[in-house]
mmCIF file of all heavy atoms in Angstrom:
data_model
loop_
_atom_site.group_PDB
_atom_site.id
_atom_site.type_symbol
_atom_site.label_atom_id
_atom_site.label_comp_id
_atom_site.label_asym_id
_atom_site.label_seq_id
_atom_site.Cartn_x
_atom_site.Cartn_y
_atom_site.Cartn_z
ATOM 1 N N ARG D 139 -23.833 -38.374 -19.821
ATOM 2 C CA ARG D 139 -23.259 -39.137 -18.706
ATOM 3 C C ARG D 139 -21.737 -38.975 -18.652
ATOM 4 O O ARG D 139 -21.152 -38.877 -17.583
ATOM 5 C CB ARG D 139 -23.635 -40.611 -18.821
ATOM 6 C CG ARG D 139 -25.110 -40.853 -18.557
ATOM 7 C CD ARG D 139 -25.425 -42.335 -18.503
ATOM 8 N NE ARG D 139 -26.836 -42.559 -18.329
ATOM 9 C CZ ARG D 139 -27.449 -42.667 -17.142
ATOM 10 N NH1 ARG D 139 -26.743 -42.572 -16.039
ATOM 11 N NH2 ARG D 139 -28.744 -42.870 -17.077
ATOM 12 N N VAL D 140 -21.104 -38.935 -19.818
ATOM 13 C CA VAL D 140 -19.657 -38.720 -19.879
ATOM 14 C C VAL D 140 -19.323 -37.326 -19.345
ATOM 15 O O VAL D 140 -18.398 -37.159 -18.534
ATOM 16 C CB VAL D 140 -19.135 -38.892 -21.322
ATOM 17 C CG1 VAL D 140 -17.669 -38.509 -21.431
ATOM 18 C CG2 VAL D 140 -19.372 -40.316 -21.806
ATOM 19 N N ALA D 141 -20.080 -36.310 -19.781
ATOM 20 C CA ALA D 141 -19.857 -34.938 -19.306
ATOM 21 C C ALA D 141 -20.078 -34.844 -17.798
ATOM 22 O O ALA D 141 -19.331 -34.155 -17.092
ATOM 23 C CB ALA D 141 -20.778 -33.970 -20.045
ATOM 24 N N LEU D 142 -21.077 -35.547 -17.293
ATOM 25 C CA LEU D 142 -21.345 -35.546 -15.852
ATOM 26 C C LEU D 142 -20.182 -36.177 -15.085
ATOM 27 O O LEU D 142 -19.714 -35.619 -14.089
ATOM 28 C CB LEU D 142 -22.641 -36.300 -15.565
ATOM 29 C CG LEU D 142 -23.057 -36.399 -14.103
ATOM 30 C CD1 LEU D 142 -23.362 -35.020 -13.535
ATOM 31 C CD2 LEU D 142 -24.273 -37.308 -13.962
ATOM 32 N N LYS D 143 -19.682 -37.309 -15.551
ATOM 33 C CA LYS D 143 -18.553 -37.965 -14.875
ATOM 34 C C LYS D 143 -17.308 -37.087 -14.898
ATOM 35 O O LYS D 143 -16.580 -37.007 -13.908
ATOM 36 C CB LYS D 143 -18.264 -39.320 -15.529
ATOM 37 C CG LYS D 143 -19.298 -40.354 -15.190
ATOM 38 C CD LYS D 143 -18.971 -41.692 -15.802
ATOM 39 C CE LYS D 143 -20.086 -42.661 -15.465
ATOM 40 N NZ LYS D 143 -19.760 -44.033 -15.726
ATOM 41 N N ARG D 144 -17.075 -36.415 -16.023
ATOM 42 C CA ARG D 144 -15.919 -35.504 -16.098
ATOM 43 C C ARG D 144 -16.078 -34.339 -15.132
ATOM 44 O O ARG D 144 -15.114 -33.907 -14.499
ATOM 45 C CB ARG D 144 -15.745 -34.989 -17.523
ATOM 46 C CG ARG D 144 -15.177 -36.008 -18.455
ATOM 47 C CD ARG D 144 -14.999 -35.442 -19.835
ATOM 48 N NE ARG D 144 -14.490 -36.456 -20.744
ATOM 49 C CZ ARG D 144 -14.627 -36.412 -22.045
ATOM 50 N NH1 ARG D 144 -15.243 -35.396 -22.621
ATOM 51 N NH2 ARG D 144 -14.137 -37.375 -22.794
ATOM 52 N N GLY D 145 -17.276 -33.796 -15.046
ATOM 53 C CA GLY D 145 -17.519 -32.686 -14.132
ATOM 54 C C GLY D 145 -17.323 -33.081 -12.678
ATOM 55 O O GLY D 145 -16.729 -32.335 -11.889
ATOM 56 N N ILE D 146 -17.816 -34.255 -12.315
ATOM 57 C CA ILE D 146 -17.635 -34.745 -10.945
ATOM 58 C C ILE D 146 -16.149 -34.980 -10.668
ATOM 59 O O ILE D 146 -15.646 -34.627 -9.594
ATOM 60 C CB ILE D 146 -18.464 -36.026 -10.716
ATOM 61 C CG1 ILE D 146 -19.958 -35.684 -10.708
ATOM 62 C CG2 ILE D 146 -18.058 -36.710 -9.408
ATOM 63 C CD1 ILE D 146 -20.878 -36.882 -10.710
ATOM 64 N N ALA D 147 -15.437 -35.531 -11.655
ATOM 65 C CA ALA D 147 -13.990 -35.734 -11.484
ATOM 66 C C ALA D 147 -13.279 -34.401 -11.278
ATOM 67 O O ALA D 147 -12.340 -34.310 -10.471
ATOM 68 C CB ALA D 147 -13.416 -36.463 -12.693
ATOM 69 N N GLY D 148 -13.719 -33.359 -11.963
ATOM 70 C CA GLY D 148 -13.133 -32.029 -11.784
ATOM 71 C C GLY D 148 -13.369 -31.492 -10.381
ATOM 72 O O GLY D 148 -12.466 -30.887 -9.781
ATOM 73 N N CYS D 149 -14.554 -31.710 -9.843
ATOM 74 C CA CYS D 149 -14.842 -31.281 -8.470
ATOM 75 C C CYS D 149 -13.967 -32.041 -7.481
ATOM 76 O O CYS D 149 -13.451 -31.463 -6.525
ATOM 77 C CB CYS D 149 -16.320 -31.493 -8.147
ATOM 78 S SG CYS D 149 -17.444 -30.421 -9.051
ATOM 79 N N ARG D 150 -13.786 -33.330 -7.726
ATOM 80 C CA ARG D 150 -12.937 -34.131 -6.849
ATOM 81 C C ARG D 150 -11.482 -33.669 -6.921
ATOM 82 O O ARG D 150 -10.790 -33.599 -5.900
ATOM 83 C CB ARG D 150 -13.041 -35.602 -7.222
ATOM 84 C CG ARG D 150 -14.350 -36.236 -6.795
ATOM 85 C CD ARG D 150 -14.454 -37.665 -7.256
ATOM 86 N NE ARG D 150 -15.609 -38.314 -6.659
ATOM 87 C CZ ARG D 150 -16.329 -39.234 -7.278
ATOM 88 N NH1 ARG D 150 -16.018 -39.637 -8.503
ATOM 89 N NH2 ARG D 150 -17.364 -39.778 -6.675
#
Side-chain angles (χ1 to χ4, degrees):
R139 290 187 183 270
V140 173
L142 180 64
K143 287 182 182 193
R144 285 181 182 157
I146 291 171
C149 292
R150 286 176 171 146

